[in-house]
Structure formats: structure tokens, C-alpha cells
Amino acid sequence: MENMLVGDNARPFHVVTPVLESIALSQAAGTKVYMKLENVQPTGSFKIRGIGYFCQQVARNGCKHLVCSSGGNAGLAATYAARKLGIPITVVVPRSTSQLTVKRLEEQGAEVEVFGQAWDEANKRAMDLAEADGWVSVHPFDHPLVWKGHSTLVKELKDSLDAKPGAIVLAVGGGGLLSGVVSGLQEVGWLDVPIIAVETRGADSFNQALQAGRLVTLPEITSVATCLGAKTVAQRALDCASEWPIISHVLDDVEAVKAIEQFLDDERILVEAACGAPLAFLYSGYLQQLQEERHLGQPLDSVVLIVCGGSAIQMEILQAMKSRLGME
């Protein structure tokens, strides 16, 4: 285990990520698109921002053992942070988790336990372990410290861009990124920048909660975008919708997977299906549709796409998703 001082001046575990203009996405969306490349974070996704920050704070308070429920990016972020802090970690993953992810978690030093069919069941198991053994549970998306860590992304946008964007496009799984971005926008004073929150059908717990006006638990996750697969979003995500201009959009798995391939061709970057959802929103002309329906301003100076990344992707996994969706 690699020990690190956790004084007040400890450096964060995330890196400042590039903001690049995408010509291909700009042409598709009919407006200038900037990509915030969270895929280049140390663990491959934005998750290290919030989870790294959470782990540093609990380490200061004397945490002796971490436990995290995650079939992917959150678990990798927590494991990375635990290794840097010299704290042991147990990661509980659902059976839907790929062997690739389990192997990566173990290589980083996590003790991995497989439990339950979906993330929600793995999370209950993690909570039980935390309670029984006095461990600190790292929630993948539902904690104020996690949102605070994610909010740093917006400060970086403000430092990088000449002017505030006309909208921010992002994926919603459990709602941690959404909650963090809203917090960040409030902090930097970009109070009228709408957020377009994109999900895939079969993992659309945020959209269903908005329609119902309360939290909704999906019976199961049927989307291939398993990293968007929280059957219930965080209450904070739903609260954000009443205090911020958020447009919820749901699209099909096939669109998300096509967008992954298009993005690989255009930008030479391979992302997972969760990240394919907001990409598909821009590639498929939905931005223009919202403008025509007057849900968004016209014209927009620019749009920021958060390329949330994702580690659970390889060419083999992409091919398997295409086969499952009959896209051969």
C-alpha cells in the first residue's frame, strides 16, 4: 500500500482535463461543441473527482477500511483513491459486471465480492458490510462530498472557455454528475446555463422520476448502458430539476452504440455506452429538435459535452453490445 499525507493541502486525485472543440460534433449539432474530456482521468472517468474527494475527507477522519458498491467506474475510482491513501477497500459488484472490470479492480488492490443481479442489490450488501464491520461506505453517486468533488469540473470549464456555453450535455445514471454540475454552475455564477440530461431507455430512472414528480424505482435495468443502471436516482438529482433548467432526454440503446462507433471514427476515442447516450443526442439531431420546439435558445454560441468516459469498454464488448441489439 502506498501511503500519502492527507493534510489540508493534499492534492486532489483527479487531473484538470482538456476542453477541445469537436468539428464533427459541431457539424452534427449545428453549433460549436466543446468536449470536456473526462475519459483521460486516472481511472478513465469523471468519478475520480467526487469519489477521490470523498475518500480524502474520510481518511482525514481516521477511516480504516472502505467499501464501495459499483460494477465499474465508481469502484475503480474508490480503489484508486484507497491505494493512494493506503487504506484497504472491498468492492461489491453485481453479477452483470464484466470480468474485465473485476480483473482491473483486483489489479488495483481491491478485495472484490460479487453479489446480486443489479447495482442496487450490491449496494445493499456494501451497506450491510459497512454497518457490521465499521467500514466507511463510498456511495457511487449519492453524497454531498461526491457532488462537491464533481463540481470542480465546472470551475475548469470557466477557466478554459472564453464565454459561458449555451448548454451542457451530460449522461445521467444515479445523478451524481448532474448534482455536481448544478452545484458547480451555482458556484461560478453561470445561473442560466441549461443542462440536457440524457439517458437510455431501460435505464431511465431520472426521466421517469421527473414525469412522476417523485423517485421511481425501475423493475430492472434492460439497457446495455449498465453504467447508467441505477434503478433509482438520487433524491438530490430530482431536487436539482426544480431549481435548475434541466431538459431530460431518453434515447435508444442502438443510437448510443452507433454514437460510440461514430465518436471513435471522428475523435479516435473509445467510450462506454453510458457516454454514448449524450453523444447520440448531438449526433442524431436532437439538439436542433429542442431548438425548433423552443425548449432551447436559437442560435446557441456553444454547447459543452461532458465526455464522461468509462472503463468498461473494449472492442470485444462493443461487438457484444452490437450483437445483442441486432446491429450486425
Side-chain angles (χ1 to χ4, degrees):
M1 284 276 179
E2 178 183 334
N3 276 302
M4 173 192 152
L5 286 172
V6 287
D8 287 333
N9 299 320
R11 283 184 316 204
F13 296 140
H14 68 265
V15 300
V16 174
T17 55
V19 178
L20 302 180
E21 185 181 343
S22 168
I23 302 300
L25 281 165
S26 299
Q27 286 173 342
T31 189
K32 187 181 286 185
V33 175
Y34 290 108
M35 307 177 291
K36 180 66 169 154
L37 296 176
E38 289 297 291
N39 57 300
V40 301
Q41 288 292 359
T43 58
S45 86
F46 74 94
K47 291 278 189 184
I48 190 61
R49 288 181 184 273
I51 286 175
Y53 182 71
F54 175 92
C55 292
Q56 282 181 309
Q57 300 311 306
V58 298
R60 287 191 182 118
N61 294 331
C63 164
K64 297 286 186 284
H65 196 120
L66 293 162
V67 58
C68 181
S69 55
S70 165
N73 297 307
L76 284 163
T79 301
Y80 179 87
R83 183 166 59 83
K84 289 283 188 185
L85 293 162
I87 298 171
I89 184 167
T90 300
V91 181
V92 186
V93 301
R95 290 191 191 98
S96 57
T97 308
S98 71
Q99 278 306 113
L100 166 74
T101 300
V102 171
K103 183 165 172 268
R104 282 186 179 156
L105 286 166
E106 288 174 341
E107 283 170 354
Q108 286 274 354
E111 180 78 33
V112 179
E113 180 180 331
V114 181
F115 188 91
Q117 293 300 334
W119 170 79
D120 304 71
E121 293 159 42
N123 186 52
K124 183 171 186 320
R125 171 68 179 155
M127 302 294 282
D128 290 346
L129 285 171
E131 200 173 321
D133 298 321
W135 298 349
V136 173
S137 174
V138 184
H139 198 288
F141 56 82
D142 196 0
H143 195 283
L145 292 175
V146 172
W147 310 328
K148 187 175 167 74
H150 293 336
S151 73
T152 55
L153 187 153
V154 184
K155 170 78 167 60
E156 289 173 24
L157 282 176
K158 192 166 195 290
D159 292 343
S160 303
L161 297 173
D162 295 331
K164 66 183 175 187
I168 293 176
V169 185
L170 50 76
V172 176
L177 178 60
L178 175 69
S179 303
V181 168
V182 167
S183 173
L185 288 168
Q186 288 168 337
E187 279 170 37
V188 303
W190 283 356
L191 301 180
D192 54 353
V193 176
I195 296 170
I196 299 159
V198 190
E199 296 170 287
T200 49
R201 238 166 235 105
D204 52 341
S205 51
F206 178 63
N207 183 270
Q208 292 203 24
L210 283 181
Q211 290 186 39
R214 58 177 171 76
L215 292 183
V216 169
T217 300
L218 303 178
E220 60 180 332
I221 300 298
T222 55
S223 169
V224 297
T226 51
C227 284
L228 295 182
K231 289 196 279 192
T232 318
V233 291
Q235 178 65 48
R236 174 67 193 139
L238 187 56
D239 294 344
C240 283
S242 61
E243 61 190 60
W244 205 264
I246 295 174
I247 299 167
S248 170
H249 187 90
V250 181
L251 44 77
D252 291 328
D253 276 350
V254 169
E255 292 175 283
V257 174
K258 276 184 184 162
I260 294 173
E261 291 192 295
Q262 189 65 52
F263 194 56
L264 181 59
D265 284 348
D266 290 340
E267 305 294 342
R268 300 159 308 285
I269 296 171
L270 182 62
V271 294
E272 63 187 33
C275 191
L279 282 167
F281 175 84
L282 294 174
Y283 278 132
S284 302
Y286 292 120
L287 185 79
Q288 294 92 319
Q289 193 179 313
L290 284 180
Q291 289 177 302
E292 284 160 18
E293 293 167 358
R294 299 180 182 267
H295 295 304
L296 269 181
Q298 220 174 359
L300 293 170
D301 289 337
S302 69
V303 168
V304 168
L305 165 75
I306 299 179
V307 182
C308 52
S311 52
I313 189 70
Q314 288 179 318
M315 290 308 292
E316 192 182 321
I317 293 170
L318 178 56
Q319 284 305 125
M321 285 194 291
K322 287 177 69 177
S323 297
R324 181 177 151 186
L325 296 167
M327 291 172 68
E328 296 305 339

